[in-house]
Amino acid sequence: MAPSRRELLEKVAFLGAALGFGQCWPGLAQAAVVDGDLRAQLEVCKPSLKPLQQLIAGNQRFMKAWAAAGEAESPDLRMQALQLAYGDGGCEIKPQALAKGQRPWAAVLTCADSRVPLEWLFNTGDGELFGVRSAGNTAFNEGVASLEYAVANLDVPLIMVLGHSGCGAVTAAMADAMLTPLLEDLVTPIRASFVPGNNLTEAIKGNACYSAAQLPKRSELLRKAQTSGKLKIQPAYFDIESGQVSLLLV
């Protein structure tokens, strides 16, 4: 008889403890031992809306705050405007609970870029979003494995693949300049997404869609979760100047 999901999680937790993963990734070693009280504390900020709707609603608040910050004349006033514009729309989980576990309600595969701050971008607190980053938001091995963990162990129901305006990795992939061997490896999947004649913005959006489509192809676990309806994978595009996240057609 095939082992149950609970048995599999217990084996994962045991293996993580045996290999010392608990020292660097406590959630892996403790994946099967989150009690009801702790779970309730970790899910106190779980949205009433569906995850994708909640991300977009949070981004609408961010856009207003971003616009207000853009009108301010100094760095400190910009930060004040940003904080004031958010008002009472946020939520924060107890640090004591976060020290013991996590129950994020969405995962975001996005670019390794300082201009894409996920918690600000979607008006969320710590412990709500499971972030995975790589330049060009590609479906790289370690990123796919991390998302498998989020879906299988943390029950995350949504993965957003988020590209952004002015992406340096896509720009590099479009250029003819010599790159280091590691950078060549990084841009290879980005180039695979290109459509002849596309400009930079179109290429960035196409790359996000390509990465989103690659996730269930590269992972049987993600494919089965998507097919069963337990997981939604959604590509999106973030315009840095306006602050808007727009959904892309799958």
Side-chain angles (χ1 to χ4, degrees):
M1 180 182 295
S4 67
R5 183 176 181 276
R6 179 179 180 83
E7 290 171 332
L8 287 172
L9 290 177
E10 289 174 346
K11 288 179 180 179
V12 169
F14 175 79
L15 179 60
L19 295 178
F21 290 168
Q23 299 174 27
C24 295
W25 200 349
L28 183 59
Q30 300 173 10
V33 294
V34 176
D35 61 40
D37 182 61
L38 175 58
R39 180 166 180 157
Q41 293 181 56
L42 293 172
E43 293 183 349
V44 69
C45 294
K46 187 174 181 179
S48 56
L49 298 174
K50 292 183 178 180
L52 186 57
Q53 294 175 326
Q54 185 67 28
L55 288 180
I56 296 304
N59 179 246
Q60 292 293 317
R61 292 191 291 272
F62 172 78
M63 286 177 60
K64 294 179 182 178
W66 198 232
E71 297 296 323
E73 297 181 356
S74 66
D76 56 334
L77 290 176
R78 281 193 285 275
M79 178 56 76
Q80 290 178 28
L82 198 59
Q83 293 171 333
L84 288 172
Y86 271 128
D88 299 324
C91 180
E92 186 64 31
I93 301 167
K94 280 187 176 182
Q96 296 89 335
L98 290 172
K100 298 176 183 178
Q102 58 174 322
R103 297 295 299 175
W105 48 265
V108 183
L109 170 60
T110 192
C111 190
D113 193 294
S114 63
R115 301 165 295 175
V116 189
L118 295 180
E119 282 72 25
W120 282 98
L121 189 57
F122 295 110
N123 191 206
T124 62
D126 299 299
E128 295 187 68
L129 302 181
F130 187 92
V132 177
R133 291 182 181 265
S134 179
N137 42 267
T138 60
F140 64 110
N141 288 345
E142 293 81 1
V144 176
S146 299
L147 293 170
E148 287 182 332
Y149 171 78
V151 172
N153 291 55
L154 304 176
D155 297 321
V156 168
L158 170 68
I159 297 173
M160 175 178 281
V161 180
L162 183 65
H164 69 89
S165 59
C167 179
V170 177
T171 301
M174 297 180 74
D176 296 325
M178 291 289 293
L179 299 174
T180 68
L182 290 178
L183 284 173
E184 282 290 347
D185 289 343
L186 185 145
V187 302
T188 295
I190 298 176
R191 287 175 176 153
S193 73
F194 287 169
V195 174
N198 275 0
N199 61 31
L200 177 59
T201 298
E202 291 167 337
I204 292 168
K205 293 179 178 180
N207 178 57
C209 292
Y210 180 82
S211 293
Q214 285 296 302
L215 292 179
K217 293 179 180 178
R218 304 270 330 277
S219 167
E220 182 181 5
L221 187 153
L222 297 182
R223 179 180 59 78
K224 288 183 176 180
Q226 185 185 50
T227 301
S228 70
K230 294 181 179 178
L231 173 67
K232 181 178 180 62
I233 301 175
Q234 174 67 56
Y237 175 80
F238 170 49
D239 179 72
I240 294 173
E241 185 172 356
S242 68
Q244 182 176 17
V245 170
S246 54
L247 303 182
L248 302 174
L249 295 177
V250 180

